[in-house]
Amino acid sequence: MYDLAIIGGGPAGVAAGVYAARKQLKTIFIAESIGGQSTDSVEIQNWIGTEKISGLDLAKALESHLKAYAGTFVEIKTGTRANKVTKIDGGFSIQTGSQTYEAKAVLIATGGSRRKLDIPGAAEFENKGVTYCASCDGPMFGGQDVIVVGGGNAGFESAAQLLAYCKSVTLIHRSAEFSRADAATVQAVLAHPNMKALTNTEPAEVKGGSFVKSVVVKNTQTGETTELAATGIFVEIGMTAATDLVKDLVALDEWGRVKVDGKSQRSSVLGIWSAGDCSDGLYHQNNIAAGDAVKALEDIYFYVKAN
């Protein structure tokens, strides 16, 4: 039986793997790939300690760091999907397609996937103006007119970031009210002179040449369409957490994310921790994911040594 099973290969999983090796915990590291969602980013400017790096290069750096420290303590299984975690005597069983691993403790760092904009042109212009991360890509649109799709907290938080450097930000929301966003945040963001919100509106088509030039939007009540000039479209329509493997084991929030204690990253089940986008933390960023995973590892170490 391993001391620890780390499931997931993004910044959270890798940070946990490095710390597990340094703490000499016998660990099985299970991931389909290393890098997480950021592998899709052309340029990342907010990974602390690195001025800018592509998503693919970040993935390579994470993998290199993990392998450099793994030694005899962390056994790395990439190209492997963990399908189910179950409670057993003395720990947990992790079932993959062809193998079963047992561990005293488990860190769920499986991340999630952004819900994609499913309209003509959206896939064609992804990373060519259509983006799913304002924190990652926003600064590249300084002085430009951009659009945010989504009227929840994530949409307004992205708009607030973009207003710091974009010429204008237009938020489009399919409903009449911003019922899923904090009222104070909505009021503060909409008060900005360069901010505009269109309610009862949804995107219908993305247009451009080699890069995004505009988006066609449709009024959900009248059916009328309008073409808005923009070079950037920031999509914030939700995320699907990759937590099916523990959905029958730990408490999840309404979006399927693992509920954790923010002080330790412990889940509702003793012996299971979670960090990164699959957990219910208030904010989700690469640096936060890595930090939360380190926090979890500190707690896991004492748990394992006490058991």
Side-chain angles (χ1 to χ4, degrees):
M1 179 177 282
Y2 292 91
D3 291 326
L4 171 63
I6 297 171
I7 307 176
V14 171
V18 171
Y19 269 71
R22 291 173 64 86
K23 291 179 178 295
Q24 299 187 359
L25 294 177
K26 184 182 179 184
T27 302
I28 181 72
F29 181 99
I30 303 169
E32 292 185 77
S33 61
I34 292 181
Q37 296 180 65
S38 290
T39 55
D40 294 331
S41 294
V42 176
E43 185 174 279
I44 299 166
Q45 299 178 342
N46 61 345
W47 180 246
I48 301 304
T50 305
E51 289 184 19
K52 57 184 177 180
I53 187 171
S54 72
L56 290 176
D57 284 341
L58 175 61
K60 292 176 183 176
L62 291 172
E63 184 171 9
S64 176
H65 195 173
L66 176 62
K67 288 181 175 179
Y69 279 88
T72 60
F73 294 102
V74 178
E75 183 179 344
I76 303 170
K77 295 288 185 182
T78 53
T80 303
R81 179 183 179 87
N83 298 317
K84 192 173 182 64
V85 178
T86 54
K87 186 78 176 72
I88 60 172
D89 186 32
F92 302 90
S93 171
I94 301 94
Q95 180 67 52
T96 67
S98 59
Q99 296 256 348
T100 299
Y101 302 95
E102 296 182 354
K104 296 177 184 177
V106 177
L107 174 66
I108 306 297
T110 45
S113 57
R114 299 252 180 187
R115 290 179 183 167
K116 296 299 182 79
L117 192 59
D118 187 18
I119 60 173
E124 177 187 351
F125 288 103
E126 189 166 334
N127 295 321
K128 298 177 183 178
V130 174
T131 177
Y132 293 83
C133 183
S135 296
C136 306
D137 303 329
M140 293 186 285
F141 292 83
Q144 301 178 45
D145 297 308
V146 301
I147 287 172
V148 173
V149 181
N153 275 328
F156 276 94
E157 288 164 6
S158 291
Q161 294 180 55
L162 295 167
L163 284 167
Y165 29 75
C166 292
K167 180 181 178 183
S168 73
V169 178
T170 301
L171 183 144
I172 60 177
H173 182 48
R174 62 184 178 182
S175 300
E177 304 291 336
F178 301 112
S179 57
R180 298 186 67 178
D182 177 72
T185 302
V186 172
Q187 184 177 5
V189 173
L190 293 182
H192 195 287
N194 298 332
M195 180 71 196
K196 181 180 180 180
L198 300 176
T199 55
N200 295 318
T201 304
E202 62 183 11
E205 183 181 2
V206 179
K207 293 184 175 183
S210 57
F211 208 79
V212 167
K213 291 183 179 179
S214 66
V215 60
V216 177
V217 298
K218 182 177 73 172
N219 185 289
T220 58
Q221 294 184 321
T222 66
E224 180 183 0
T225 60
T226 306
E227 188 168 346
L228 305 176
T231 54
I233 301 171
F234 294 82
V235 183
E236 291 290 355
I237 55 176
M239 176 179 289
T240 302
T243 55
D244 279 355
L245 74 170
V246 290
K247 66 180 181 180
D248 300 321
L249 185 59
V250 303
L252 305 178
D253 70 6
E254 60 184 301
W255 295 285
R257 302 175 302 188
V258 179
K259 290 184 177 181
V260 297
D261 173 1
K263 292 182 179 180
S264 63
Q265 301 300 122
R266 290 191 180 205
S267 76
S268 61
V269 173
L270 186 64
I272 297 182
W273 288 253
S274 183
D277 288 359
C278 64
S279 68
D280 70 341
L282 184 58
Y283 303 107
H284 293 100
Q285 298 289 322
N286 283 339
N287 293 294
I288 295 171
D292 282 350
V294 171
K295 185 197 308 180
L297 251 292
E298 296 290 348
D299 201 50
I300 289 169
Y301 177 79
F302 290 111
Y303 172 84
V304 169
K305 292 306 178 182
N307 291 276

